[in-house]
Amino acid sequence: MTATTGLTISAPDSAALSSAAPGGTASGSLGNVTVNDQRSQLSTTRTATVELSTAFRTGAGSTSETISGAQVTYTPGNPVSEINPPHTPAASGTLAAQRNAYIRASGDGANAVTWNPSVSVAVSAGNVSGDYSGVITHSVS
């Protein structure tokens, strides 16, 4: 018998952060992110990563209407739930480049972890006021 239904990750489609004027910081949680590894293998290791795949923009997306990943800090936080640990949150840091979110460095068999990451977005004083949106992408391998 082999149980190999795969490795999946799920995350909310959208999240709302607090308001912030130029020169301030918007923040909030993204909602639960879940990695489910049902491959049932020996020595299952994997890394969930996160990146800002589309910068935060408003209007036409000019320089004063764009917030880059260097201004976005991601904090994975502790697990909300775990099946067959260990799962380790990576350190907080900016989304200037793809970064680790959660790591499973050892263990056997099927496992899963759920966490509720938070983000803070530093809005530069030179940014214009507006409703900004961007895309934060989680992946696992």
Side-chain angles (χ1 to χ4, degrees):
M1 174 173 85
T2 304
T4 57
T5 59
L7 175 63
T8 61
I9 188 166
S10 62
D13 290 332
S14 65
L17 303 179
S18 66
S19 296
T25 301
S27 62
S29 68
L30 296 180
N32 287 348
V33 177
T34 301
V35 171
N36 190 355
D37 187 350
Q38 296 301 307
R39 298 173 294 174
S40 299
Q41 298 173 339
L42 291 174
S43 301
T44 54
T45 62
R46 60 173 158 64
T47 302
T49 58
V50 60
E51 66 182 315
L52 183 65
S53 50
T54 302
F56 286 93
R57 292 190 175 106
T58 192
S62 68
T63 301
S64 61
E65 297 170 309
T66 301
I67 300 172
S68 74
Q71 296 166 261
V72 180
T73 300
Y74 179 93
T75 303
N78 292 322
V80 173
S81 66
E82 284 184 281
I83 297 171
N84 193 12
H87 302 93
T88 306
S92 299
T94 71
L95 296 181
Q98 183 182 68
R99 64 180 302 107
N100 292 341
Y102 250 83
I103 300 162
R104 179 175 171 92
S106 65
D108 298 329
N111 62 86
V113 63
T114 299
W115 69 98
N116 186 358
S118 62
V119 295
S120 61
V121 180
V123 182
S124 296
N127 278 98
V128 299
S129 295
D131 291 329
Y132 286 75
S133 63
V135 178
I136 295 174
T137 303
H138 289 89
S139 56
V140 64
S141 59

